[in-house]
Every structure is written in C-alpha cells, then in structure tokens.
Amino acid sequence: MKPIQAGWSDRERLLIARNSDSYSTKTTRSHVTDSHISTLAFERQARVAAQLPTGSIHSLSAKDEKSAFLMNLVMNKYILPNANSQMDALSKLRLSGVYASLYGAQPILYDYRIDDEYIGPDFWLIPPRNFYPQPGKNSIRDSDWAMVSTIVSVSYLEAIAARDNTSWDKDNLKSLIEMAKTGRVPGRDIDSSKKSAIENARTSGRPAADHGPAARLELCTKYEKGDKGRWITFAPDYHEAGVLRDITNPHKNGRIPIVMRQCFPLIDSIWGLGDFERGITLQKAKDSLLNLYLDGVKLAIFPPLKIDVANVTYSSIVNQPGARWLMKDPNAVTPFESNPQALQSFQGTWQQLDTMLLNQFGTQGDMSANKENSGNPAFGKTPAAIEQFKDKEGARDNWDRFQLERCIEDLMEGMINLLAENQ
C-alpha cells in the first residue's frame, strides 16, 4: 500500500483548501488557494447524487410479489432513513463520490447494526488507510479476502470482555487488554501510519494516549469469501495475544461485505483513477502561480530599497506616510525596479490553467472562458456552444452516475440479504 498512499497526503490537503505545492508551502510568503479542484468534486456529487436512490425490489417468484412490495416499503421507509451511522445515507453516498474522486475508489462496508436507536442493515465509509485489499487482486469481486482495520480504546475492549455472551475469545481479549494498559506500546506510531493529512491538519498531529484505559490500539478484521468464509479479528501490534474473534460469515451469503465506489476503474489496480490524481498538477500550478503573483504585487507596492548608508541616517528610513528621511544625497535611496512582464502575463496564464482543469472535469464552470482567452475554439457563450458544453458535462455526470448505480446495486443487494437473513 505504501506506493499507492505516497500521493494521498497532497490530495487530502487540496480537499480541505490547504496548499500542497512546494512554492506555496516553502517559498512564497502568500499561502492562498482557490480550491478549484475540490469545488468541482463537491459540485459534481451534488448533481450526481441529488437524492436518495429510487429502485424496485422484485421477487424471484412471480407469484410472490407481496413480499417484494413489503421489502420495498421496509427499504425505503425503514432502512434508508435509519442507516445513519457516521451520517445520513444521502450524505454518505455523496461523500463516497468525493472520496472516490480523491483516492480513485472509496470502500464501503455494510453490516447488521444493533443498538438502542436502530436494528437493521447499515453501511460505513471506510477510511482508505484502514482498508487492505488482497494483493494481486484488482477488484473486490475477484478477491478471496479483504481486511479492514479500526482504532479502538482499551475501555471499548473491556466492555466486550464484560459481556456474558460474546463471540470474542475472552482469554485472548483479557491478555490484549493487560498488555495495552500496562504500557506495552506498538512498535510503530499509529497516528502517523493511520492519520490522513486532513486529521493532522485538524488536530495539529496530536498523539493519543498510549497506556491506561484511554490507550488506543489497532484491530484488524479479515473478511473471507465463500460459503466457508470466516471473519477473523486480531491486533497486528500484539500478535502474541492471538486471534480475538473467529466466526463464520454471519451474512451467510459467501460475500465479502465491502463494495467499492469507483471514479474511473482500472483493470490493473483495485484503486481506480481519481480526478484529484489527474488534476493535482494543474491545481498545484494554479496555486503556485497565484501565490507568486500575490508576492509580486506586494513587491510592486513595497519595492526593496537600495540605500547608500554612507549618505543617509539609516534609522530615519521608515516606510510610513509623512516620514522624514535624513540624507546627504537625494539619490542615496532608490527603489529596486522589478520586471513587470511576469505580472502582466498572469491573467492569460491563469485562464489557461483554469480552462485545462475545467476541461478535465468536463465542465465550463462559470462560462467566463471563451475561445480568445482560453486558446480553445470549443469555448464560447453562444447558445450552440453552451448546449455543447451541457452535453459534455452531462456525459461526464452520467459516467459518475453509472459508477454510483453499480455501487448502490451491490450495496443494496447485500443489505436486503441481511434484512431477509436476520429479520
């Protein structure tokens, strides 16, 4: 996973309007971004997933349509309104598209949920850093297994160990709890290996507790495919604790309970090609150009001064209105004249980069571009040009909607199976 994850941090920073190009982060004094690439990604999902999915469930038997009618009612009136772990179902579907655009694909886990608020099928967006697909497999359908990790506290494990009836191995669980509470910390930093650039930016990279009831540790669950598939949970940093849970797939359908929302699928990688991977260089170029331009404007307004210290009283040189500079020679202080050509070419260069990013996303954005300032004869504001771009944007949206529908079909089929199996 390391080669795949190498470029994720820069893309994650762009999602939350943080500069990731080297000029803006290390060289320029300005740190501005127009967040164009993330704006386009969010806008697309608002169009593609404008409402909850509307589909029909049919019985395999033509004589048993009443059960299908009941299942449709239950799905639309009970499951979708209550499948709100993390957030409501529609927000999760929209975010699955945004994160698929960011990472190339977004894994979604579905399972049966039992708590005080709801009993029934639910689904969760898996942070991509917590998802481990089987090496050598390029889709979930072809995989024999996949693993998902989560970070839990010792107190969470203590609550499981206190249950009278549980599928967890209590002896191994208590051994794990003891090791974690007494300060037996992992050999790696969980925060640096699991936290995204978004989490680090929002929490300032603060580490979590490493001992006592608040200590955190990683649990991994391996989901196997097939009629004899197992769900196996273990703590990778405490292997001597052994397997914590080993159960037969409770879904009883032989499937791995994970579906992938793709952006652009690839035949040789389970992680597809995302819009951020395609457009990150353009967004970095825009941010670099913008911040270099702003620094240039500051330089033009407050130019550096060339001062002959032998002919001035240096302490009197103050850059403020009404200042009195004491000097023997009126030419002892002269401003440094920079070449204004770079500032004058900003607008044209910015428009070119803007157009390239809009082209990549299949949209004309605010219709400000035309064939003269963009260098693209296809741009224009005539009714024919606008209609042409509507068709182009619609085709790109339809591609994303197709990927969403494939994901929803797999997800809903799994959740319907759970409902039939458990309720």
Side-chain angles (χ1 to χ4, degrees):
M1 292 295 294
K2 286 184 179 179
I4 296 173
Q5 293 178 357
W8 284 1
S9 291
D10 281 354
R11 297 182 226 163
E12 290 162 350
R13 289 179 63 83
L14 293 179
L15 182 68
I16 57 169
R18 300 290 199 280
N19 292 115
S20 63
D21 61 289
S22 59
Y23 279 110
S24 299
T25 55
K26 299 177 182 179
T27 305
T28 63
R29 290 177 177 269
S30 303
H31 304 286
V32 180
T33 174
D34 71 340
S35 304
H36 198 182
I37 193 168
S38 63
T39 300
L40 292 172
F42 281 111
E43 286 179 346
R44 165 150 290 128
Q45 295 314 310
R47 297 192 300 268
V48 169
Q51 61 185 12
L52 281 170
T54 54
S56 296
I57 303 167
H58 298 279
S59 173
L60 292 175
S61 171
K63 299 179 180 179
D64 194 22
E65 282 301 315
K66 290 183 179 179
S67 62
F69 178 76
L70 174 61
M71 190 67 81
N72 274 296
L73 285 177
V74 172
M75 175 61 74
N76 293 312
K77 303 297 184 182
Y78 178 67
I79 294 179
L80 287 177
N82 289 289
N84 54 12
S85 293
Q86 295 179 311
M87 59 194 73
D88 63 277
L90 181 57
S91 294
K92 286 188 282 190
L93 291 176
R94 287 184 176 181
L95 281 181
S96 71
V98 172
Y99 282 100
S101 185
L102 176 65
Y103 297 107
Q106 171 60 46
I108 303 173
L109 172 72
Y110 62 90
D111 197 4
Y112 200 71
R113 175 180 148 203
I114 300 176
D115 56 38
D116 293 337
E117 297 180 353
Y118 171 62
I119 297 176
D122 204 344
F123 65 100
W124 294 260
L125 303 182
I126 304 171
R129 281 182 171 79
N130 292 9
F131 175 61
Y132 300 97
Q134 181 182 3
K137 300 295 184 179
N138 298 322
S139 73
I140 283 291
R141 290 182 180 273
D142 293 338
S143 299
D144 301 311
W145 57 265
M147 291 196 293
V148 175
S149 77
T150 183
I151 308 298
V152 302
S153 65
V154 168
S155 57
Y156 169 83
L157 299 177
E158 288 177 328
I160 295 176
R163 296 174 186 169
D164 293 330
N165 296 317
T166 179
S167 58
W168 294 67
D169 187 314
K170 286 192 174 184
D171 291 336
N172 290 352
L173 196 58
K174 290 176 181 177
S175 175
L176 173 63
I177 292 170
E178 187 62 27
M179 284 188 285
K181 287 183 68 174
T182 54
R184 158 72 165 78
V185 297
R188 63 192 171 97
D189 180 4
I190 292 178
D191 291 301
S192 64
S193 63
K194 290 297 174 187
K195 277 190 175 182
S196 66
I198 297 171
E199 290 178 282
N200 284 324
R202 297 296 175 90
T203 63
S204 301
R206 287 195 300 269
D210 59 4
H211 64 276
R216 299 189 316 155
L217 62 155
E218 181 184 10
L219 295 186
C220 247
T221 299
K222 180 183 181 184
Y223 300 98
E224 297 179 344
K225 186 172 75 172
D227 296 336
K228 298 181 180 179
R230 313 286 296 179
W231 288 13
I232 305 169
T233 303
F234 59 97
D237 295 310
Y238 301 88
H239 56 84
E240 55 270 54
V243 173
L244 304 175
R245 186 178 64 165
D246 187 347
I247 59 174
T248 304
N249 183 348
H251 294 188
K252 301 179 182 179
N253 59 1
R255 290 187 177 187
I256 298 171
I258 298 170
V259 299
M260 297 292 284
R261 169 74 187 275
Q262 295 281 350
C263 186
F264 292 99
L266 300 174
I267 62 171
D268 45 11
S269 175
I270 198 169
W271 297 100
L273 177 63
D275 291 314
F276 278 66
E277 185 174 359
R278 297 170 64 228
I280 189 171
T281 54
L282 288 173
Q283 184 64 57
K284 284 185 175 183
K286 289 187 68 180
D287 292 343
S288 296
L289 178 66
L290 178 59
N291 287 301
L292 287 169
Y293 172 74
L294 291 175
D295 277 10
V297 171
K298 293 176 185 177
L299 195 67
I301 297 174
F302 304 104
L305 300 176
K306 297 183 288 184
I307 301 175
D308 182 359
V309 294
N311 289 302
V312 300
T313 302
Y314 187 73
S315 59
S316 69
I317 307 300
V318 180
N319 195 3
Q320 66 182 30
R324 290 178 173 84
W325 294 0
L326 305 179
M327 55 181 65
K328 297 176 182 178
D329 182 353
N331 297 317
V333 178
T334 56
F336 172 77
E337 298 293 340
S338 59
N339 189 343
Q341 184 175 357
L343 296 181
Q344 294 169 359
S345 65
F346 168 79
Q347 187 62 42
T349 308
W350 177 265
Q351 188 68 61
Q352 286 283 357
L353 293 173
D354 208 44
T355 303
M356 291 165 70
L357 193 58
L358 290 170
N359 266 335
Q360 186 174 279
F361 271 80
T363 179
Q364 195 174 353
D366 60 2
M367 308 298 292
S368 61
N370 56 51
K371 62 182 179 181
E372 285 78 18
N373 61 27
S374 68
N376 187 344
F379 278 83
K381 298 179 182 180
T382 64
I386 293 173
E387 192 65 30
Q388 180 180 354
F389 263 94
K390 282 184 179 179
D391 292 341
K392 181 179 181 180
E393 186 175 72
R396 177 63 178 84
D397 286 353
N398 284 335
W399 172 273
D400 212 71
R401 188 173 292 110
F402 174 79
Q403 297 302 326
L404 173 63
E405 289 172 357
R406 297 289 78 76
C407 172
I408 287 177
E409 284 181 8
D410 288 345
L411 178 63
M412 295 303 171
E413 186 174 351
M415 293 172 71
I416 291 168
N417 173 75
L418 276 178
L419 183 71
E421 187 66 39
N422 292 284
Q423 282 183 265

